[in-house]
Amino acid sequence: VSTQSTWGHFLSVYFFSCYEQFPILMHELLSTVVAGGSASIVAKSAVAPMDRVKVLLQTRAANIPRGRWQAFGVVLHVVQKQGFLSLWNGNLTNCARIFPTYACRFTFFDFFKERIVGNEDNNSASYLRHVIAGGLSGVCTLCLTFPFDLVRTNLASSLHCGRPKN
């Protein structure tokens, strides 16, 4: 038996098995992406007003006096100047940023976990390998989604968007 025919047989069996598994793998990937992305959009939209206040306080865009109730002062200031819905300024961009972020994070984590952890039992070495897989997932995700973070921060820190409320 020649080496070339053995190699050709191996490749045909490998590619045929991959071809058969492709729909299953795509279904798993898409369900993970949609579930993770949808959950992140709901969660981020629910806390969007608090996130906007946090960004305004961090960038000192709102000229609110310092004090114990400073966050409530920022909320009142924004609502009086721009209206209640302006607390969600930048949320659409945040949702557009967060969906691919969590999709990438879950996908990369599964990818690295399969290659680093494998099917090990839960022990301290497995825990360390999970941490390494999560770290690599975070690095890859951050490299792909960092520009969206910059745009979201710029939109959320602006007090001059939208119509002023009379």
Side-chain angles (χ1 to χ4, degrees):
V1 177
S2 72
T3 309
Q4 189 176 18
S5 66
T6 306
W7 182 247
H9 177 69
F10 168 75
L11 286 178
S12 66
V13 168
Y14 175 76
F15 284 117
F16 183 70
S17 66
C18 289
Y19 180 75
E20 284 181 340
Q21 292 179 354
F22 183 75
I24 297 168
L25 295 174
M26 286 305 296
H27 182 266
E28 289 176 7
L29 176 68
L30 287 176
S31 63
T32 302
V33 167
V34 170
S38 300
S40 65
I41 285 175
V42 169
K44 287 293 181 179
S45 294
V47 298
M50 291 180 277
D51 192 44
R52 174 114 196 264
V53 168
K54 177 195 74 168
V55 169
L56 289 172
L57 288 171
Q58 287 175 338
T59 59
R60 305 221 189 280
N63 295 324
I64 303 294
R66 290 209 169 264
R68 187 174 188 176
W69 303 98
Q70 185 177 8
F72 293 112
V74 172
V75 170
L76 291 175
H77 179 76
V78 169
V79 169
Q80 287 172 351
K81 295 288 183 182
Q82 297 177 336
F84 180 73
L85 292 179
S86 68
L87 291 171
W88 280 268
N89 276 1
N91 187 50
L92 183 61
T93 306
N94 194 22
C95 289
R97 172 191 69 92
I98 208 69
F99 191 93
T101 298
Y102 278 87
C104 290
R105 187 175 294 162
F106 290 144
T107 304
F108 283 132
F109 181 73
D110 285 346
F111 174 80
F112 287 122
K113 188 175 84 168
E114 286 176 7
R115 274 134 187 95
I116 295 172
V117 177
N119 293 329
E120 283 188 20
D121 293 333
N122 290 335
N123 57 27
S124 60
S126 176
Y127 177 74
L128 179 62
R129 290 180 178 167
H130 274 90
V131 170
I132 291 170
L136 289 171
S137 170
V139 167
C140 292
T141 300
L142 187 64
C143 289
L144 293 175
T145 60
F146 184 72
F148 289 116
D149 287 333
L150 280 175
V151 171
R152 180 196 60 93
T153 302
N154 285 337
L155 286 173
S157 67
S158 172
L159 276 176
H160 302 292
C161 347
R163 292 182 304 173
K165 187 178 177 185
N166 292 334

